[in-house]
């Protein structure tokens, strides 16, 4: 990889592809080599990865070390593209969610809370609910409905404790614990 990155014929697209591959396969050494290259665009969408950013890709794959490397890079601008929020991609990894919250540049999306409730990711639901941008009452408290319909008792209890969750929304009138 060092030889490839040192080649003067390598253009920005080639450098960005090295970064993408390092993120996709969870190789921090390759990611660091690409990040050190002057032509790298850390915010570029990856055509071959459904237009994800490398941050979203690293979050989706649960690569905490690579996520931290990307967050530490001052050129990173999360959420600048139409791809999913890194919060959505990281919903299965509470440690990465905490990194994103601590960093503060990415904005969580409601879809992350809904997915966490659907899949029973209790710790992720707690982390997301603590963020001021997350409203569990969105779309008639659909995260609560997802927890109910999937028998996620812990998730339902957590959501019901939140003041913005509406247990009386139309799609829950038959719900009793």
């Amino acid at each position: 990889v060092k030889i490839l990155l040192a080649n003067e014929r390598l253009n920005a697209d080639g450098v960005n592809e090295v970064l993408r591959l390092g993120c996709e396969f969870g190789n921090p050494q390759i990611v660091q080599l690409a990040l050190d290259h002057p032509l790298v665009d850390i915010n570029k969408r990856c055509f071959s990865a459904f237009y994800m950013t490398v941050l979203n890709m690293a979050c989706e794959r649960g690569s905490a070390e690579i996520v931290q490397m990307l967050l530490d890079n001052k050129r990173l601008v999360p959420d600048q593209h139409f791809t999913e929020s890194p919060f959505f991609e990281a919903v299965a990894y509470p440690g990465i969610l905490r990194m994103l919250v601590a960093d503060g540049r990415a904005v969580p999306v409601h879809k992350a809370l809904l997915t966490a409730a659907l899949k029973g990711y209790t710790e992720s639901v707690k982390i997301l609910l603590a963020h001021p941008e997350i409203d569990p009452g969105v779309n008639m408290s659909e995260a609560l409905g997802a927890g109910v319909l999937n028998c996620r008792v812990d998730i339902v209890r957590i959501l019901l404790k939140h003041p913005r969750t509406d247990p009386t929304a139309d799609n829950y009138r038959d719900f009793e614990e």
Side-chain angles (χ1 to χ4, degrees), residues 19-58:
L19 177 61
R20 181 193 70 80
L21 290 169
C23 289
E24 182 174 352
F25 293 103
N27 189 313
Q29 292 82 15
I30 291 176
V31 170
Q32 190 59 58
L33 287 170
L35 288 174
D36 291 341
H37 197 282
L39 295 178
V40 73
D41 180 356
I42 191 172
N43 299 300
K44 186 172 177 70
R45 289 176 283 131
C46 305
F47 174 74
S48 59
F50 306 107
Y51 291 98
M52 293 178 96
T53 62
V54 290
L55 176 62
N56 288 14
M57 186 181 302

Side-chain angles (χ1 to χ4, degrees), residues 48-85:
S48 59
F50 306 107
Y51 291 98
M52 293 178 96
T53 62
V54 290
L55 176 62
N56 288 14
M57 186 181 302
C59 287
E60 178 190 58
R61 287 167 173 67
S63 303
E65 182 179 358
I66 292 174
V67 169
Q68 192 60 61
M69 290 170 70
L70 296 170
L71 292 173
D72 288 344
N73 191 300
K74 299 304 176 210
R75 295 174 291 175
L76 179 71
V77 182
D79 293 334
Q80 67 168 353
H81 300 296
F82 63 86
T83 56
E84 299 288 353
S85 162

